[in-house]
Amino acid sequence: MENRYEELKTRCLGCQKCGLASTRHNVVFGVGVPNAEVVFIGEGPGENEDLQGEPFVGRGGALLDKYLAAVDLDRNKNIYITNMVKCRPPQNRDPRPEEVASCIGYLTEQMELIRPKIIVCLGRIAATALIEKGFKVTKQHGQWFEKNGVWMMGTFHPAALLRNPNNKPDAFEDMLSLQRKIREICDHTYDGTELG
Ligand code: URA
């Protein structure tokens, strides 16, 4: 698995499948533990992520880490974080459908290797692509969907929470629901001695 993961990552880092390759500084493949039972999927790298090569490292990322810590989750210990597209769309525009289509194979292969039990979609772009086409975050956040044996939930994107802090209590409720789901179906996410 480690080798196949590294091989996939190497392939992705050299990707030239869409126009985003010409403006990126770094491919942002993903971060976390290879045996994660819980995976978070955002939209695409922003400026800081593009410069550092890691997902969610800006202000939104700091907020995400805070929410994760509240339910004993940590990108370096027990989860995995990636995005729908691995390269930054210029000016942080939404990724175009053809860019998502070019990139989705990498995400599919990542999920085949990691085999998570739970996927959390951060924001509309991931939730509409992975849960259902008409997914409305404001109405359907926190609801659970089972797809091919994987439990999926959509919640607010951290950047949206920074723009609209009124949704923070709802986002926190979603994290508590995630914590309950992890306790119910995961084997080792909360195993670490310092966690859980
Ligand atoms: N927004 C995203 O959707 N993903 C990141 O990695 C950073 C910001």
Side-chain angles (χ1 to χ4, degrees), residues 10 32 45-46 84 88 139 196:
T10 304
M84 291 303 299
R88 182 192 182 198
K139 287 206 182 98

Side-chain angles (χ1 to χ4, degrees), residues 90-158:
Q91 277 83 49
N92 298 344
R93 62 162 169 76
D94 285 356
R96 296 188 177 126
E98 65 271 21
E99 292 159 352
V100 174
S102 299
C103 211
I104 193 80
Y106 295 116
L107 182 64
T108 306
E109 283 194 64
Q110 274 173 309
M111 295 307 102
E112 282 169 3
L113 292 174
I114 297 171
R115 293 170 46 84
K117 291 176 188 284
I118 296 174
I119 292 178
V120 179
C121 296
L122 297 169
R124 172 181 56 87
I125 298 287
T128 54
L130 302 177
I131 299 178
E132 64 182 32
K133 213 163 170 252
F135 191 95
K136 292 270 178 292
V137 176
T138 45
K139 287 206 182 98
Q140 293 174 283
H141 70 90
Q143 289 180 18
W144 288 100
F145 299 78
E146 193 185 8
K147 291 198 149 199
N148 305 319
V150 179
W151 286 94
M152 307 194 58
M153 178 225 275
T155 188
F156 299 90
H157 192 285

Side-chain angles (χ1 to χ4, degrees), residues 1 18 27 40 45 64 82 97 104-105 109 113 123 133 138 143 147 160 178 186 194 196:
M1 148 67 194
C18 82
V27 173
F40 291 79
L64 176 62
T82 188
I104 193 80
E109 283 194 64
L113 292 174
K133 213 163 170 252
T138 45
Q143 289 180 18
K147 291 198 149 199
L178 171 63
C186 290
E194 68 288 310

